[in-house]
Amino acid sequence: MNEKEEPMNMNVTPPVEPVTEFEVHLPPDRKHPKWLVPLIAGGTAVVVLAAVGTGGYLYWNHNQLTAASEECATSYDKAVKAQKKLTEYLESDAVKTAVTVKDSEVKDAKTVAVLTSTVKTAEKTKTTIPECPSGNLTDIRAMTKEIDGLATAYSRTVSEVADRADAVNGSKLDKIVADATKILNDSKGRVKDDKTRTVLENAIESKDEKAISDAVKAVNDSVRAKSDADAKAKAEKAKQTASQSQASDNGGNPAGDTTSGYTGYTGGGYTQSQGGGYTYTPQQPTGGSTGGGYTPTPQPQPQQPSQGGGNGGGSTGGDDGYENMCFAYPTDGSPAIQVPCS
């Protein structure tokens, strides 16, 4: 040997296996079998997993409750808004005006009855909306479904009332258009100003209720104006005709006309004399006319009665076998008339 070898130390301690945590708590004089260590470790893992599983379920359940509560709250707000919209619409001027429309104001009276029934039903559906529960997922979801149903019902009712009101207003406009069309047709040739009919025709085509109303009034006023004018002209004509007829009855010469006709005759005829009988005096005109007239045909003059014979003057005939005839001439110019000779 080049080097001196040291002698082997026979007192060296052999290596010791690592001591586990479980082994630390064991008495120093006791050792456990090696197969027990994995078994203990596996049991510990099961306990840990069980704890983790319980916590995970609770976390999941909490999230489900939160999501369901939020969904229910959203449905509740939606239902409240739908109910408010229904209430406001039922109290609106549009619905109130449509409800007050009379059957006689619409072309189809059924529209008024349907609207009235729908509004009454809608007013009864304005119930209180329930609030969302808490703590139970099943209850929350059930209430959410109920609230969603109310929101849908409110929205549907608003649409129904609106449709019924539109039907009434549409039927009312149809009646207005029909009436205005009849006035347009009936007023042809009866208006003082035909332009009013043109305005009415344009208003009917536009289906503007106010424009139609104004145009109808203008046409009616024009019809009334023409009627008044025609009545006045007819009265003037009747008055003129009556005046001409009166003038004709007074001799064919209107009052104040001195250029035609005659003034009549005075005198003439037979007058009784003191000695008995009649004396003939020819008629003479008391006035002439510069515009014409006529001359009466001379009447035959009766023979004068003879002295001491006959029945008196103004007669014809006597003892010669002829019948005595006497005449009298009125002073107003009318023809002579036969009178008794006594």
Side-chain angles (χ1 to χ4, degrees), residues 202-215:
N202 294 334
I204 292 174
E205 292 179 356
S206 69
K207 292 188 176 181
D208 187 326
E209 183 174 345
K210 186 178 185 306
I212 293 175
S213 178
D214 294 341

Side-chain angles (χ1 to χ4, degrees), residues 11-33:
N11 297 323
V12 175
T13 305
V16 180
E17 294 180 2
V19 179
T20 64
E21 181 180 359
F22 182 77
E23 293 173 336
V24 171
H25 299 284
L26 294 176
D29 57 344
R30 295 183 63 183
K31 300 292 181 181
H32 63 276

Side-chain angles (χ1 to χ4, degrees), residues 250-271:
N250 290 335
N253 183 34
D257 185 1
T258 59
T259 62
S260 64
Y262 65 96
T263 58
Y265 292 84
T266 60
Y270 283 94
T271 58

